């Protein structure tokens, strides 16, 4: 499947580039989309797309384009409920979504330490992240999101470099069912098995992995 | 015993050992089926990591644990594919019904009728490296083996020796009444497995290292691994897949998807007999559970190997 998708994506990208009015991801990010309701992403996510921790706006820089496309589609459909993002996603055209997702993936993000299962785990957050809680069928977070929560492919986003506010907000959204856009409820069933204290601790753990390295 | 016979036996032994210099075990099938847990009974509880002593023993155990969960990094020279021990032994080898180390270690040394010899625990682990890791077995007195053995021993703290503990294997599940169906397995795979293991079983990496293991192809376990048996794979899948959602597939679907997984080509069985898939099938696979080695699937004979 992948093999056929890539060449097609390449052709599409070429065609889009050849059109004068091709969507410009950089421009959308900084100034907004063609529809005035599509606000500039940078307003909330920061000029460098590293998010605004205190307000809970997530880092977008370096995120896999496939993941971003799916999230924008899910905001549109309501599978991922968010009063701010829903109208913005709805006012973006498909071309604009393609462009912004590609732009975000290409934006530089700091590098983070790839802390894996072999490392020592002290405290509730690190223990969940690196050991899991298998008595409740909770795998190690890094088993799916990769060492250091660096993210894996289109479906397992980076956790490193996200804020406590954002991470705990998402885990709580899954617990409450306002976010249910994960394939096969893979994340939902885990979040629903977690306690308030665990949500907080594991969010603090991944947020604490931030800013280990300089911008690449 | 006459001299001629002795010489003959000696020649055979030498010839055999030369031919199979790297082969530590003749097979690596599991021992007998596990005993079951009585209602209300708890599975064996291995000690907590926090209870490890802060001394050389505790350090070696931690090194063994590190090798076990990140074999790619800490035992790279012995690994020939994209697997880590913990891909099959969930929860760092602690989880009941997922071949936990505390269920295995106290059962060795063990006489095994199938190869008519006593296997040490080190030999058993060497088998894992040779087959599941498609690699080279670490020497019995190597650091890697010492560390893995120390880790296994420590997880078995308080477990009885020579007694099959409940939860020591992947609990077998019955075959579908109408037999397994590879086409149905393909559908289950697309719906339940591909998100992690990829559209074509290729696994997924973060950077240059696998996070989700490849299920077939050159970076997966070879035709000699226990997981090449459809019955074993079905039991594992039913118990632990999708990761964290074990038990969510029906018995039949676990079989179908296991058959689909194992109907793909993978690295050759290192015990290949005289370069012949058919001879290898007869010798090692004909009575080794349900498997497709040397069988024709969609016009292609499986077991050719892939590099």
């Amino acid at each position: 499947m992948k093999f056929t998708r890539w060449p097609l994506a390449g052709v599409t990208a070429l065609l889009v580039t050849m059109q004068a009015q091709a969507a410009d991801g950089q421009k959308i990010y900084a100034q907004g989309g063609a529809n005035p309701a599509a606000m500039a992403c940078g307003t909330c996510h920061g000029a460098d797309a590293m998010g605004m921790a205190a307000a809970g706006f997530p880092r977008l820089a370096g995120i896999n384009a496939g993941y971003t496309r799916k999230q924008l589609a899910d905001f549109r459909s309501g599978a991922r409920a968010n009063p701010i993002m829903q109208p913005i996603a709805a006012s973006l055209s498909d071309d604009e979504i393609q462009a912004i997702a590609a732009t975000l993936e290409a934006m530089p993000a700091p590098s983070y330490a790839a802390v894996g299962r072999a490392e020592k785990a002290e405290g509730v957050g690190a223990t969940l992240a690196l050991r899991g809680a298998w008595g409740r069928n909770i795998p190690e977070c890094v088993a799916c999101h990769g060492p250091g929560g660096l993210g894996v492919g289109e479906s397992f986003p980076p956790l490193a470099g996200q804020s406590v506010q954002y991470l705990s907000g998402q885990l709580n959204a899954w617990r409450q069912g306002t976010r249910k856009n994960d394939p096969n409820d893979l994340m939902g069933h885990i979040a629903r098995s977690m306690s308030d204290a665990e949500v907080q601790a594991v969010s603090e753990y991944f947020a604490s992995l931030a800013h280990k390295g300089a911008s690449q | 015993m006459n001299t001629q016979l002795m010489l003959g036996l000696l020649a055979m032994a030498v010839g055999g050992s030369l031919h199979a210099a790297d082969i530590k075990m003749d097979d690596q099938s599991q021992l007998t089926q596990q005993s079951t847990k009585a209602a209300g009974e708890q599975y064996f509880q291995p000690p907590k990591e926090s209870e490890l002593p802060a001394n050389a023993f505790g350090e070696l155990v931690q090194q063994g644990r590190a090798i076990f969960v990140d074999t790619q990094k800490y035992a790279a020279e012995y690994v020939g594919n994209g697997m880590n021990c913990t891909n099959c032994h969930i929860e760092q080898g602690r989880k009941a019904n997922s071949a936990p180390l505390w269920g295995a270690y106290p059962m060795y040394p063990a006489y095994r009728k199938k190869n008519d010899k006593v296997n040490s625990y080190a030999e058993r682990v060497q088998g894992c490296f040779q087959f599941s890791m498609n690699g080279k077995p670490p020497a019995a007195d190597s650091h890697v083996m010492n560390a893995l053995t120390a880790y296994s021993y420590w997880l078995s703290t308080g477990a009885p020796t020579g007694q099959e503990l409940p939860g020591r294997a992947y609990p077998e599940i019955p075959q579908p009444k109408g037999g397994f169906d590879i086409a149905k397995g393909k559908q289950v795979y697309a719906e339940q497995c591909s998100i992690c293991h990829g559209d074509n079983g290729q696994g997924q990496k973060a950077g240059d290292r696998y996070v989700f293991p490849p299920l077939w192809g050159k970076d997966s376990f070879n035709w000699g691994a226990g997981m090449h048996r459809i019955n074993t794979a079905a039991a594992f899948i039913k118990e632990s897949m999708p990761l964290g959602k074990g038990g969510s597939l029906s018995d039949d679907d676990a079989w179908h998807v296991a058959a689909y997984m194992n109907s793909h080509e993978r690295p050759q069985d290192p015990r290949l007999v005289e370069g012949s898939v058919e001879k290898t099938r007869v010798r090692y696979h004909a009575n080794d559970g349900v498997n497709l080695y040397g069988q024709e699937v969609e016009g292609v004979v499986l077991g050719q190997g892939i590099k």
Side-chain angles (χ1 to χ4, degrees):
Chain A
M1 290 298 199
K2 279 256 159 63
F3 293 102
T4 54
R5 207 184 295 150
W6 279 114
L8 269 179
V11 170
T12 311
L14 196 65
L15 288 174
V16 168
T17 319
M18 283 158 66
Q19 289 168 352
Q21 69 275 49
D24 179 342
Q26 300 272 9
K27 192 174 168 201
I28 299 164
Y29 191 84
Q31 297 169 29
N35 182 328
M39 288 168 59
C41 317
T43 312
C44 296
H45 294 276
D48 58 359
M50 286 304 292
M52 282 207 231
F57 296 118
R59 158 201 166 193
L60 303 178
I63 304 269
N64 181 289
Y67 180 79
T68 301
R69 281 197 302 269
K70 181 179 188 302
Q71 300 314 306
L72 287 170
D74 290 347
F75 282 129
R76 270 184 184 173
S77 74
R80 182 173 176 181
N82 185 293
I84 301 172
M85 279 309 299
Q86 197 278 329
I88 294 174
S91 59
L92 285 167
S93 71
D94 289 347
D95 279 354
E96 286 176 324
I97 285 180
Q98 289 282 352
I100 193 69
T103 294
L104 289 170
E105 182 176 286
M107 285 177 83
S111 58
Y112 302 95
V115 183
R117 283 180 272 199
E119 306 295 326
K120 291 213 161 84
E122 279 167 20
V124 174
T127 300
L128 264 182
L130 305 177
R131 303 292 187 270
W134 279 99
R136 284 172 281 156
N137 266 330
I138 300 179
E140 307 84 347
C141 307
V142 298
C144 293
H145 291 271
L150 297 181
V152 182
E154 290 196 353
S155 301
F156 301 92
L159 307 177
Q162 298 296 14
S163 63
V164 177
Q165 288 80 351
Y166 177 69
L167 292 172
S168 60
Q170 297 313 301
L171 286 167
N172 284 325
W174 264 300
R175 293 165 89 195
Q176 291 149 13
T178 52
R179 184 168 181 181
K180 44 183 185 289
N181 66 333
D182 51 331
N184 299 349
D185 194 33
L186 284 172
M187 196 61 230
H189 89 95
I190 292 170
R192 289 193 298 276
S193 302
M194 291 169 69
S195 68
D196 289 342
E198 285 173 333
V199 165
Q200 184 66 18
V202 82
S203 301
E204 285 172 4
Y205 172 77
F206 281 106
S208 78
L209 296 178
H211 310 305
K212 292 268 161 136
S215 206
Q216 299 286 318
Chain B
M1 195 181 283
N2 69 44
T3 319
Q4 237 177 351
L5 182 59
M6 267 187 70
L7 281 173
L9 283 174
L10 194 64
M12 263 176 65
V14 170
S17 68
L18 280 177
H19 182 67
D22 291 322
I23 309 294
K24 298 292 180 183
M25 296 175 63
D26 291 327
D27 74 88
Q28 67 143 10
S29 53
Q30 301 294 328
L31 302 175
T32 55
Q33 184 53 281
Q34 81 284 1
S35 58
T36 50
K37 181 171 72 85
E41 193 188 347
Q42 233 194 355
Y43 289 112
F44 174 78
Q45 298 294 308
K48 292 190 180 74
E49 210 175 320
S50 57
E51 294 164 9
L52 265 176
N55 57 22
F57 175 74
E59 184 55 33
L60 187 64
V61 167
Q62 282 293 11
Q63 288 171 11
R65 201 189 65 79
I67 292 166
F68 197 83
V69 298
D70 198 351
T71 326
Q72 297 289 307
K73 184 173 175 183
Y74 294 102
E77 65 268 46
Y78 303 112
V79 179
N81 60 15
M83 310 291 284
N84 294 303
C85 304
T86 199
N87 291 145
C88 295
H89 308 268
I90 307 291
E91 196 192 0
Q92 314 134 54
R94 305 174 65 99
K95 191 171 178 294
N97 298 320
S98 194
L101 297 181
W102 49 258
Y105 182 83
M107 296 303 293
Y108 289 88
Y111 170 74
R112 299 170 75 196
K113 200 171 177 182
K114 200 161 179 176
N115 57 18
D116 193 29
K117 63 183 185 188
V118 177
N119 294 168
S120 68
Y121 185 72
E123 283 177 302
R124 181 64 189 82
V125 176
Q126 284 172 331
C128 283
F129 278 97
Q130 188 134 31
F131 301 106
S132 300
M133 316 300 279
N134 193 37
K136 298 195 184 334
D141 60 352
S142 62
H143 172 69
V144 162
M145 195 61 79
N146 286 340
L148 286 172
T149 304
Y151 181 51
S152 308
Y153 165 80
W154 170 71
L155 283 181
S156 309
T157 304
T161 55
Q163 187 180 314
E164 293 187 36
L165 291 175
R168 68 183 288 263
Y170 309 129
E172 292 269 350
I173 52 170
Q175 266 198 69
K177 283 201 173 68
F180 58 78
D181 183 331
I182 292 174
K184 276 187 194 158
K186 183 177 184 175
Q187 196 184 335
V188 174
Y189 182 87
E191 289 164 2
Q192 301 279 342
C193 319
S194 64
I195 181 170
C196 294
H197 295 284
D199 292 342
N200 197 27
Q202 74 273 27
Q204 283 199 78
K205 292 178 178 178
D208 58 357
R209 217 165 261 146
Y210 282 103
V211 171
F212 298 109
L215 302 183
W216 59 84
K218 67 179 176 60
D219 285 339
S220 190
F221 56 90
N222 70 36
W223 281 111
M227 201 59 81
H228 97 287
R229 287 188 297 261
I230 294 171
N231 53 310
T232 301
F236 169 79
I237 289 165
K238 169 76 185 187
E239 179 66 27
S240 292
M241 292 291 129
L243 196 69
K245 293 190 76 183
S248 63
L249 295 179
S250 69
D251 288 359
D252 284 7
D253 279 351
W255 265 88
H256 298 323
V257 78
Y260 175 68
M261 173 173 94
N262 282 331
S263 69
H264 289 88
E265 199 50 83
R266 52 183 67 263
Q268 183 55 270
D269 188 333
R271 303 165 299 183
L272 186 69
V273 178
E274 297 168 23
S276 163
V277 169
E278 178 56 17
K279 284 182 182 174
T280 309
R281 186 191 70 79
V282 169
R283 178 144 166 211
Y284 291 115
H285 297 271
N287 297 306
D288 187 18
V290 182
N291 72 83
L292 295 171
Y293 185 91
Q295 307 287 326
E296 191 175 311
V297 175
E298 289 181 8
V300 178
V301 175
L302 292 169
Q304 306 295 322
I306 186 170
K307 284 184 181 171

